[in-house]
Amino acid sequence: MVRLGLLRRRPLLHVATDRGSGPVVVLLHGIASSWVTFENVIPLLDGRHRVLALDLLGFGGSPAPDDAAFTLDDHAAAVHRTLRRMRVGAPFVLVGHSMGALIAARYGAAFPRDLSRVVLVSPPIYLAPSAIGDPLDRAAMELYLRAYGFLRENKEFTIRAAGQLARLSPIKDLLDVSDDNWRAFVLSLQRSIESQTTVSDLAAIRVPIEIVYGTLDPFLAPAGIRIAERLRGVTSHRVVGGDHVIRRRMARVVATAVG
């Protein structure tokens, strides 16, 4: 469980979208992004759900406290405090994309009574390379971790590369790495993605878990996905030709997974 002291210290997050009526669906974006991640999903849900899209701690319009460690517990506690302050009633559906999927899994393990369903979209489920038997999978995991270390240690390169990718993105303002959010980016990458608890968190969740991912997602670790798919209560939805971004075709699959 998330420590109560940590929960009390976490600030309120920016609620970027609160629209529609009906059962509540909460949307959590990924690292270096914002609520716009779900611009293709929200119109498919708000006719039958109350849809809340939050900006995560340190990103979008949300604060980045000096004492935040940007661990999964930090992120989950900030989400929980925000929803509690809004008096969002349980149970609700929690949807996370990329790092937001890892936060959703942590939230589900920490606050099990809050949720009716968890939907993980494009989840980067990583394991320690030493825990992977297959040599190819182990090498792929090592490559991911080395790449992330390079991004953290080369600020100017990372900001420039993120800017170039943002200009190519099909969703405006989807990616933002800058001086303003650099600390949140680096620590979230290191402490929420590279050092994660996702497999054990998923094993602890007692509500249905839906995993949606594209077959061409460059951030997907096959070893992690295979383990997650074998866990109790997990249903997978493969989007053939889909990548890491929630384009319209993937958005329809996400909306179906929400129910």
Side-chain angles (χ1 to χ4, degrees), residues 187-208:
L187 293 181
S188 292
L189 183 58
Q190 185 176 28
R191 298 173 178 176
S192 290
I193 296 179
E194 295 173 66
S195 302
Q196 59 175 268
T197 58
T198 306
V199 170
S200 61
D201 287 339
L202 293 178
I205 293 174
R206 295 291 182 266
V207 298

Side-chain angles (χ1 to χ4, degrees), residues 84-99:
R84 188 174 64 177
R85 180 65 64 89
M86 295 178 69
R87 300 185 184 279
V88 173
F92 56 85
V93 178
L94 186 59
V95 181
H97 174 257
S98 194
M99 185 181 77

Side-chain angles (χ1 to χ4, degrees), residues 96-110:
H97 174 257
S98 194
M99 185 181 77
L102 311 185
I103 296 168
R106 178 91 282 270
Y107 190 104

Side-chain angles (χ1 to χ4, degrees), residues 4-220:
L4 292 179
L6 175 64
L7 180 60
R8 285 193 291 268
R9 292 196 303 272
R10 287 305 103 220
L12 298 177
L13 301 177
H14 175 230
V15 182
T17 296
D18 182 353
R19 60 193 249 194
S21 60
V24 174
V25 178
V26 178
L27 308 177
L28 307 179
H29 63 81
I31 193 169
S33 193
S34 69
W35 71 274
V36 300
T37 292
F38 296 101
E39 74 166 24
N40 292 321
V41 176
I42 293 170
L44 302 178
L45 296 178
D46 63 5
R48 63 184 188 277
H49 294 281
R50 179 186 176 191
V51 182
L52 304 176
L54 310 183
D55 282 341
L56 295 177
L57 195 68
F59 300 103
S62 287
D66 291 339
D67 67 337
F70 296 97
T71 62
L72 287 173
D73 275 346
D74 256 8
H75 284 295
V79 171
H80 187 268
R81 183 167 184 261
T82 301
L83 298 178
R84 188 174 64 177
R85 180 65 64 89
M86 295 178 69
R87 300 185 184 279
V88 173
F92 56 85
V93 178
L94 186 59
V95 181
H97 174 257
S98 194
M99 185 181 77
L102 311 185
I103 296 168
R106 178 91 282 270
Y107 190 104
F111 306 106
R113 297 181 180 179
D114 284 9
L115 306 182
S116 60
R117 182 179 300 267
V118 180
V119 181
L120 311 181
V121 187
S122 307
I125 302 174
Y126 297 155
L127 308 164
S130 60
I132 300 173
D134 184 272
L136 291 178
D137 285 341
R138 185 165 60 247
M141 196 68 68
E142 290 172 346
L143 184 61
Y144 280 121
L145 298 179
R146 285 200 299 269
Y148 293 149
F150 178 85
L151 293 178
R152 287 190 283 104
E153 294 164 7
N154 293 273
K155 179 178 179 180
E156 291 184 4
F157 169 85
T158 301
I159 290 177
R160 185 170 63 251
Q164 293 171 347
L165 288 174
R167 286 189 287 273
L168 297 173
S169 172
I171 298 176
K172 185 180 179 181
D173 299 325
L174 179 63
L175 187 62
D176 175 31
V177 182
S178 64
D179 287 328
D180 291 339
N181 67 12
W182 180 251
R183 180 173 178 272
F185 170 78
V186 167
L187 293 181
S188 292
L189 183 58
Q190 185 176 28
R191 298 173 178 176
S192 290
I193 296 179
E194 295 173 66
S195 302
Q196 59 175 268
T197 58
T198 306
V199 170
S200 61
D201 287 339
L202 293 178
I205 293 174
R206 295 291 182 266
V207 298
I209 301 167
E210 311 282 338
I211 299 179
V212 180
Y213 63 92
T215 57
L216 300 181
D217 188 339
F219 300 102
L220 206 69

